Amino acid sequence: MPIPSLSLLRHRTPTFLRHITPFSHHQNHHSLLITSFKHQNQPNLSRKPPPNNNLLKAKQILNSKKDFSTLSPILSPNHTAAELSDSQAIGTVAASQANFMRVIVTAGPSRSREIEDSSKNGSELLCVVRAVLKKIKRRVLVGDKVVVGSIDWVDRRGIIENVFQRSSEILDPPVANVDHLLVLFSLEQPRLDSFVLTRFLIEAESTGIPITLALNKVELVDQEVGYFDGAVLLMIIMVGVIAFVDVESDFCDLFMKMVLSDWNSRLRSWGYEPLFCSVDSKMGLHTLASVLRDQTTVILGPSGVGKSSLINALRNKPNSHDEADNWFDPIMGSKWFEDQRVGEVSTRNGRGKHTTRNVSLLPLGGGGYLADTPGFSQPSLLKVTKQSLAQYFPETRTVLSVNEPAKCTFKDCLHVGEPGCIVKGDWERYPLYFQLLDEIKIREEFQLRTFGTKREDNVRYKAGDMGVQQEEPRLEPKKHRRQSRKRINQSILDELNELSSDEDFIR
Ligand SMILES: Nc1nc2c(ncn2[C@@H]2O[C@H](COP(=O)(O)OP(=O)(O)OP(=O)(O)O)[C@@H](O)[C@H]2O)c(=O)[nH]1
Ligand SMILES: [Zn+2]
């Protein structure tokens, strides 16, 4: 069986998305921090404490009350604005440009004389990152919730002093605290393809972040007569005649409804409730706007499906009379949040031209943020293992969780027809599951041969300081760093391509 997707991978940077558990990120970078914290807080029983230990401790506590950005661990989510000094605020990093971060204030100091009300919420601040954070290599990402200090409210400048614990993190584009993924496809130009859609959905599912599926360009469906073959087309016309519709005017409408309802029922059987929309005809945009409200959403989907167009439409249009629209107060002359560049779809292959570049969180009218991602033809699925694949298909996930006590006979069942397997083959995407499973198996076998271990097992967990779980690379003696990861991934892809062309040859 050919593996059509893989040849495309060669030319594109894959999108890795990952979802992280609290405390698991940044551990490598924070050994300095954690050690210093440990020495302050854990009594050293084997040695007599220095006489000024208590004083030192008290001073630290005082300091951290006044300004909680001293050398302390990542802030926990329950720190509140009440602990802020007058020149501090809490905000969200919305964009990063060279050495500057654009922070949008979400909570100002509560007892400030200058800022008596909460009117600073929504203010854009141009910030640099405090030198010590750079020294200890604490990366500040777009999406991070941060404490900004030394704020000049007139010039809108500040210094990022500390970062809050992240609830999630995706890798490409690097965005923290994403709470929603919008998988966007178009019905036409480029035409919706169930395998490509499945790859994007699996990649999105593997992050654990909630997903909304939206299908754009619905108005193009009635123009694309090639959608059905001749026989089906004839049937539709006959149905139209039988139903006494005015074929001239209503044929397109009927045709569109049939296509949409066909996709609707298919996608529902996959476990999704698709939203149909059109940036051009503005259909479905209000529904989308209300789904996105007050969340940080990252849009992903292939190139040319209309991600940038949708962002522009959502940001410029619905509810523009709402007061909530004015919550974002940019610095005069700021341009980073302005319209996203919309690409042209290549007339030759119906694909977009990869116009999206930097990642920014664009403030939405009704509250919340939306981030664009560059459109890739295929996500790599390099984070998905053959054991985890089934749980990223809602169809099998449901069966597996409903039958939790029963389970499959074998612990490591891959659900490909083993005796005693509770996953049956009566679902549309079962063949796609097989196809992806084959691809992942080949990749894992290759990794096993090359690394001597599977990629997932390259990481081991140990209980670190303060009970924090730490990730550590498990390196095979003398085996590590033989080849760069990039080269190994490239050779996996090369091998897969060879395999698929061999199979073509056998046919
Ligand atoms: N007919 C039609 N065209 C649309 C619609 N939405 C977007 N387009 C067009 O589709 C093309 C691609 O749109 P973009 O917004 O650049 O697509 P994208 O997904 O951001 O593409 P990348 O940036 O390459 O990932 C542009 O020519 C848009 O005008 C729609 O609802 N209907
Ligand atoms: Zn099974």
Side-chain angles (χ1 to χ4, degrees), residues 216-217 219-220 278-280 302-309 341-345 352-356 372-375:
N216 188 30
K217 307 198 190 184
E219 94 291 351
L220 286 182
S278 163
V279 176
D280 268 25
S303 192
V305 297
K307 297 183 295 297
S308 306
S309 314
R341 268 180 55 203
V342 167
E344 281 163 25
V345 172
K353 291 174 179 170
H354 310 289
T355 37
T356 310
D372 206 351
T373 59

Side-chain angles (χ1 to χ4, degrees), residues 408 413-415 418 421-423:
C408 294
C413 185
L414 290 178
H415 323 299
E418 295 93 330
C421 175
I422 56 172
V423 176

Side-chain angles (χ1 to χ4, degrees), residues 11-53:
H11 313 288
R12 316 227 183 279
T13 321
T15 306
F16 302 135
L17 299 164
R18 83 170 172 176
H19 190 220
I20 52 163
T21 46
F23 293 111
S24 68
H25 61 286
H26 277 331
Q27 292 310 324
N28 303 342
H29 306 157
H30 292 146
S31 45
L32 168 68
L33 269 181
I34 286 164
T35 338
S36 63
F37 202 77
K38 184 177 148 195
H39 284 293
Q40 289 155 26
N41 291 289
Q42 290 185 349
N44 190 337
L45 298 175
S46 59
R47 262 185 277 153
K48 216 179 144 192
N52 60 348
N53 198 22

Side-chain angles (χ1 to χ4, degrees), residues 132-152:
V132 71
L133 293 188
K134 287 186 193 160
K135 261 199 197 109
I136 60 173
K137 297 210 170 67
R138 187 177 298 179
R139 240 182 117 201
V140 183
L141 294 182
V142 166
D144 263 326
K145 186 175 165 187
V146 292
V147 176
V148 182
S150 315
I151 300 175
D152 176 339

